[in-house]
Structure formats: structure tokens, C-alpha cells
Amino acid sequence: MANFVEHHVSHLMQGWDLIQRADSTGRLHGPLQSLSAPAKIVVAALLIVAVVASTHVWAILGIFVLTLTLALLSCRVVFDLMRIAWLGVFSFTGVMSLPALFLTRGPELLRVPIAGWTLTSTGLHIFLVLLLRAETAVTITLTVILTTPWPRLLAGLRTLKVPSLVVALIGATYRYVILLLESALDMMQSRRSRLVGPLAPRERRRLLISTGGVLFSKSAALSQEVHDAMISRGYRGETYVLGEQRNAPRDWIAMAAGALLSLAVAVLR
Amino acid sequence: MQTPLFAIDNVNFRYTDGKALDALSLTIEAGERVALLGANGSGKSTLLRVLDALLFPESGDVRFCGELLTEDAFSEDEFAYAFRKRVGFVFQNSDAQLFSTTVFDEVAFGPLQLRLGAGEVRRRVAQTLERFNISPLSDRAPHQLSGGEKRKVALASVLVLDPDVLLLDEPTAGLDPRSQTQLMDMLDEWQHSSADRCAKTIVTATHDLHTLEDMAGRCLVMERGRVIASGSPGEILSDRDLLERGNLVHAHRHRSRHTHPHPGLHRPQV
Ligand SMILES: Nc1ncnc2c1ncn2[C@@H]1O[C@H](COP(=O)(O)OP(=O)(O)OP(=O)(O)O)[C@@H](O)[C@H]1O
Ligand SMILES: [Mg+2]
């Protein structure tokens, strides 16, 4: 608890950093940035489905390495950002699928001395597949996000006939998160500049609670204001978006390659 | 006599506690440039929101060109679109006003909502960005802009619809002198672009006495939700008592122990 406030802040910072970078890495010139957003979304969706359907460790690993290579070729910094995500996924999926290691029957590999659990090769296989699937899916998703400017991504979803309400909702969430992060960071910074010396744990708790409360009412007021600003410019509950990007030949090639690859992964046993 | 553009009659409004507008009556004629002055919390922003039909009074009438502004009236698409097209509002807080992911989309929002065709929207947005010298910002995310740039984009996103009436909430607050000048230039450019200059009406809430004479032909001084004085900028600026009462100037106590006000040099404490 003692370091909770700082922990909180550093998470906010990481999230903020990610959003900022996603905006700028998407505008670099790299192999993936040159593809249209709809093409990338389609390929990513196909690959994720294939990966989730596959039980072939090497096939999934192959997709993982391929995605990572393309992502690194498109921009270097993705590695730092992905590491954060990989760790998160590892601790979540890892823990969730840990029982599979021991509860699955099959050829025995190892016996845990005191508990009397046995590690089977089938269990190990299942564990690896579950973990790899999750890590690969996250890597694919992040790669698309980090190589596409945010508005392009939203427009890409529209092109793919995702309902405008859903896209508007995603856009609004993004906006809201940004406003929330901005006011959080502002508050933290102004508070930090006023703090002298470390705080007692009890003080910290109080601070955290009040920060959360203020942040909430602040962002509620702000979203009311955003809503007013939209109404004032003619918003009546329906969003209209400008039509988007056409696919170039290389986008079609990418989609065809993605489809073939996905099919190969899905049928490989 | 001509129908006034806005006619407010005996309007009361409260948020939760205390009256934000207290039996307020006033009229604004088409083509007027009106400044709303007054201390923090005197009700300027609330009045602008009532004029933009974002808030509806608990009692009293608000009329625009003779037509009552009520929630019922705004449930009709045709009326709402016509009003939103004619009246633009630039908010005090640019962060709230800028909600799109790029400057281009931000400026395109209004025209798209008013259902102009895609080609027309692109043309208008490009033209507006060009006109106000913000084309280089086109692909940037609004949250990455400086305060002055944000304000310019906010203004452009309203002017793109070429409204007849512009409601401005502290447009120059927090801007450096150069950005202030640029903002005023944008407003001039918009006003002069219209064939009939008198057709454009501006209502500005402001603390900035420097730009008062540029911005307004008539000033209304507000206090606790009421108008306590009105007059030309010259008359208001020469009334020291009034300015002090409206918290628009500080009286400074110097070591020599005589007190003298500095009009316009300070904004009231925020
Ligand atoms: N969203 C709100 N909820 C509750 N009370 C509010 C709200 N907005 C304003 N008020 C109150 O209404 C009164 C008038 O506020 P308003 O924002 O109109 O003042 P203002 O003249 O614009 O002040 P400023 O110069 O600080 O912008 C104030 O007493 C304020 O506390
Ligand atoms: Mg105000």
C-alpha cells in the first residue's frame, strides 16, 4: 500500500506514453505503415483466428516471430512497449493456465516431490499453446495499433462496416481516456511540486482516495462539456464520418498472403 | 422596430444552489458586438450557454429572431439544424471543445453533422485551414497542440460553418500577445468575408480590457447573474468604481500608501 500512489502514477505514465507513441509511430515510414488500415485489420483478424484455432506450437511461434520481425522493421520502439504487454499477458495467462501443467494426463515428465503432482508432456504442451496464443494475439493487435495512426484505425473499422455507433464509442473512449490521463497527470504533477518530503502511509491513502474522487468528478464535468460542444455543432446522436482510404495493390497482396498463412497455420496439426 | 436577434426576458437559472442567472432581461440586435464583463462566477458562461440553447432556463423566455428557444423546439431536426448552423459557440475550455482525433476531423465535425456532402466537407475544411494558416496542423492530434494552437483550431472548427452569430467564452484568456493578435485577425477575416458585414453578431465573455474596444461596441457588466451596468467600452473603461466592483481591475496599495488601479493589467485571480 505504501507505494500505491507512485505505482498508480507510473502506470498512468506508461499508458500515456503508449498513446503518445502510438500516434507518432503510426506516422513513420515502414513496411507496415505503408499498408492501409482496413488491410491490416483484416490480416490481423485472420491471423488471430488462425492462432487461436491452432494447437501447433511451432506454427504459432512462427507467426509470433514473423509479426515481431515486421513490427521491428516498422519501428524500433515497439519492443519496449511490447515488453510491458508481454509481461502483463504472461502473469495473467500464465497463472490462469498453470493448472493445465499438472492436471492433464499423459506421459510423465517430472514429479514435484512433496505435493505429489506430476508434470506431463501433454500438460506442458497445452500450457505452452495457451501462453503462446495469448502472447501472439496481443503482439499482432499491438503491431496494428502501433503502426496505424489512430484516426486511420477508426476510419478503417468504418470501412469494414463496423457500426458507426461502435466506432464512435471507441473514439469517445479514447478521448475520455486521454482527458482522464491528462487531468490525472496534471494533478499528480502539481501535487508533487507542492509535496515536501515523503508522506506517511495514512496520508498517502487519503491522497489517493481524494485524487480518485476529484478525477472522477472532473472527468464527468469534462465529458458533459464535450457533449455540449458536440451538440453546439449540430450533433444529434448520429455520427457521420468521412469515407475512407482505398486499397492499393500491395494491400490486396498483403491480405492474400495473410489469408494463405492463416489457412496454413489453421490446418497444420 | 426590427425583431432583435436575441431577446431574453426575466430569465432565471440555477445549477444546484444559488442563482446563476437572476431575473435577467436583455436584448441583442443583429450585427452587434457585445462584451460580457464581470467577476468569476458572475454568470457569463451560463448566459452564453442559454443563448446557445445548451441550457434552458427554469423560468422566463429566450427568443432567437422572435422564436422561442425551448427543449421542444429543439426536438425538431429542422429547427435544431437551422439554429446550430447559424449560431456558433467557442468554449472557455478548448480541451472540451476539441474531441476529434485530428485537427482535420475536428474541423470537419460540424459540416458532417449538418450533412454536407463528403466533397463539400473536404473542400470547406481545406479552405478553412488554409484561411486561418493552420493547414500544417491538419494531421496532428488536438491534444498534442499548444494552448494557442488549440484555441485557433477551436475557432476554426466553429467558423467553418460560417455562422451568423458567434458566442465566444474568454477567447483570449491565457494566450500570449501574438496568439491574441492572430485570434483577433481570424475573427476580422471571418467578419470581412461576409458580403454584409453587419450581418455578423459577436457576443464575447471576457476579462481582457485590452481587447475590449476591438471586440465590442457595447459592454454589459454582470454581477451575481444580473446585468448591473451597460455602456460603450469607453464609458465602462472610464468608470473605475464599476471596474473594481466587477473585479476587472485591482486596486494596488503601494508603499507610498496611495491607491491606484491598473485597468487591464491583471486578470482577476483564477
Ligand atoms: N456545472 C455547474 N454546476 C454547478 N454550478 C455551476 C456550474 N457551472 C457554473 N456554476 C455556478 O454558477 C455561477 C455562474 O457561473 P459561470 O460559469 O456562468 O460564471 P462566469 O461568469 O463564466 O465565471 P468565469 O469568469 O470564472 O468563467 C457560479 O456561481 C458557479 O459556481
Ligand atoms: Mg466562464
Side-chain angles (χ1 to χ4, degrees):
Chain A
M1 186 65 209
N3 273 321
F4 203 71
V5 177
E6 278 74 8
H7 192 68
H8 219 61
V9 177
S10 82
H11 264 284
L12 284 172
M13 294 282 194
Q14 280 175 3
W16 180 237
D17 204 43
L18 185 84
I19 288 171
Q20 294 264 331
R21 290 214 212 165
D23 238 73
S24 50
T25 54
R27 290 174 207 285
L28 295 174
H29 293 283
L32 290 180
Q33 283 91 340
S34 69
L35 292 178
S36 79
K40 273 183 282 191
I41 298 171
V42 166
V43 173
L46 287 174
L47 285 179
I48 288 176
V49 168
V51 160
V52 170
S54 172
T55 51
H56 198 288
V57 175
W58 294 108
I60 303 176
L61 199 62
I63 298 289
F64 178 82
V65 171
L66 181 71
T67 311
L68 189 60
T69 312
L70 283 173
L72 283 175
L73 284 176
S74 300
C75 62
R76 294 269 171 67
V77 296
V78 293
F79 196 72
D80 300 332
L81 299 170
M82 284 184 177
R83 250 193 356 219
I84 303 171
W86 288 336
L87 271 177
V89 172
F90 182 77
S91 49
F92 186 72
T93 321
V95 169
M96 296 292 282
S97 44
L98 208 55
L101 267 182
F102 303 104
L103 298 180
T104 321
R105 283 199 202 132
E108 188 178 310
L109 278 184
L110 193 108
R111 187 179 282 274
V112 181
I114 298 158
W117 295 342
T118 46
L119 177 67
T120 62
S121 60
T122 331
L124 185 65
H125 180 81
I126 291 178
F127 177 77
L128 275 180
V129 167
L130 287 177
L131 191 63
L132 265 177
R133 274 181 190 165
E135 297 283 12
T136 309
V138 162
T139 307
I140 293 172
T141 312
L142 268 181
T143 302
V144 173
I145 293 177
L146 288 172
T147 57
T148 320
W150 186 251
R152 281 278 156 78
L153 203 60
L154 290 185
L157 290 171
R158 278 297 293 151
T159 314
L160 295 170
K161 301 276 180 281
V162 175
S164 70
L165 186 66
V166 175
V167 177
L169 214 61
I170 297 175
T173 312
Y174 170 82
R175 223 159 46 218
Y176 186 77
V177 167
I178 284 188
L179 288 175
L180 199 71
L181 279 173
E182 252 172 9
S183 27
L185 288 181
D186 276 358
M187 279 172 69
M188 295 298 177
Q189 267 155 14
S190 72
R191 185 157 286 160
R192 236 188 231 166
S193 66
R194 276 180 283 152
L195 284 182
V196 187
L199 281 179
R202 202 166 140 231
E203 278 299 293
R204 278 179 213 248
R205 270 197 298 278
R206 209 183 45 73
L207 205 66
L208 182 69
I209 290 165
S210 72
T211 306
V214 173
L215 210 55
F216 182 75
S217 62
K218 236 180 157 175
S219 50
L222 208 50
S223 39
Q224 174 64 44
E225 219 173 317
V226 170
H227 188 72
D228 280 352
M230 293 170 77
I231 300 256
S232 173
R233 276 151 70 194
Y235 178 72
R236 313 257 307 146
E238 178 80 42
T239 328
Y240 304 91
V241 197
L242 274 179
E244 244 304 278
Q245 343 164 41
R246 260 169 224 300
N247 284 326
R250 65 170 163 307
D251 296 315
W252 293 111
I253 294 172
M255 280 192 276
L260 281 177
L261 193 60
S262 311
L263 201 66
V265 169
V267 295
L268 215 61
R269 292 289 138 186
Chain B
M1 215 185 90
Q2 209 189 343
T3 328
L5 186 73
F6 281 108
I8 288 197
D9 186 28
N10 200 18
V11 159
N12 290 288
F13 184 86
R14 74 178 73 220
Y15 288 96
T16 41
D17 40 57
K19 284 191 169 177
L21 297 180
D22 185 6
L24 185 72
S25 298
L26 58 92
T27 55
I28 294 171
E29 304 292 336
E32 258 197 305
R33 291 152 71 93
V34 179
L36 304 173
L37 301 171
N40 291 136
S42 56
K44 305 180 296 293
S45 300
T46 309
L47 174 56
L48 289 179
R49 276 163 196 268
V50 167
L51 292 177
D52 199 34
L54 295 170
L55 296 176
F56 297 96
E58 25 178 271
S59 67
D61 289 346
V62 184
R63 286 171 195 274
F64 176 72
C65 295
E67 295 199 64
L68 270 181
L69 299 184
T70 57
E71 279 188 277
D72 270 356
F74 276 88
S75 63
E76 275 171 47
D77 276 354
E78 207 177 314
F79 183 83
Y81 281 127
F83 181 85
R84 299 294 174 210
K85 160 83 187 69
R86 289 191 64 192
V87 182
F89 191 168
V90 180
F91 284 70
Q92 189 165 357
N93 180 356
S94 321
D95 282 327
Q97 169 137 25
L98 303 176
F99 44 75
S100 301
T101 42
T102 63
V103 169
F104 186 94
D105 290 344
E106 189 64 55
V107 179
F109 183 85
L112 278 172
Q113 294 310 306
L114 298 177
R115 305 202 203 138
L116 302 182
E120 169 71 4
V121 172
R122 285 213 176 80
R123 197 186 58 73
R124 267 205 198 207
V125 174
Q127 192 189 0
T128 304
L129 294 176
E130 193 68 38
R131 208 167 120 197
F132 299 125
N133 297 317
I134 45 176
S135 306
L137 304 180
S138 179
D139 284 333
R140 298 266 296 274
H143 66 88
Q144 295 173 332
L145 302 177
S146 78
E149 289 167 338
K150 278 183 191 169
R151 206 66 68 87
K152 278 192 235 169
V153 173
L155 186 56
S157 68
V158 170
L159 291 186
V160 67
L161 291 171
D162 193 25
D164 297 332
V165 185
L166 196 56
L167 308 170
L168 302 169
D169 202 349
E170 309 211 10
T172 52
L175 296 186
D176 64 27
R178 211 174 76 127
S179 307
Q180 288 193 8
T181 317
Q182 288 172 343
L183 212 69
M184 305 298 268
D185 288 347
M186 283 173 75
L187 288 173
D188 276 350
E189 155 80 25
W190 164 68
Q191 280 201 309
H192 287 100
S193 66
S194 128
D196 176 13
R197 200 187 161 195
C198 299
K200 305 293 186 192
T201 310
I202 303 186
V203 183
T204 317
T206 185
H207 291 288
D208 184 359
L209 300 184
H210 287 301
T211 52
L212 200 57
E213 275 169 319
D214 284 337
M215 294 293 294
R218 178 161 69 112
C219 307
L220 302 173
V221 183
M222 295 187 67
E223 189 181 84
R224 277 188 246 115
R226 290 168 166 276
V227 173
I228 56 164
S230 75
S232 71
E235 285 163 6
I236 300 290
L237 286 174
S238 61
D239 190 341
R240 290 276 151 82
D241 287 344
L242 187 65
L243 293 180
E244 274 181 45
R245 192 170 158 201
N247 249 342
L248 293 159
V249 289
H250 284 313
H252 278 242
R253 200 174 292 276
H254 286 250
R255 265 190 220 136
S256 60
R257 288 224 192 106
H258 81 267
T259 302
H260 71 95
H262 295 295
L265 282 181
H266 299 269
R267 275 170 39 80
Q269 69 288 356
V270 177

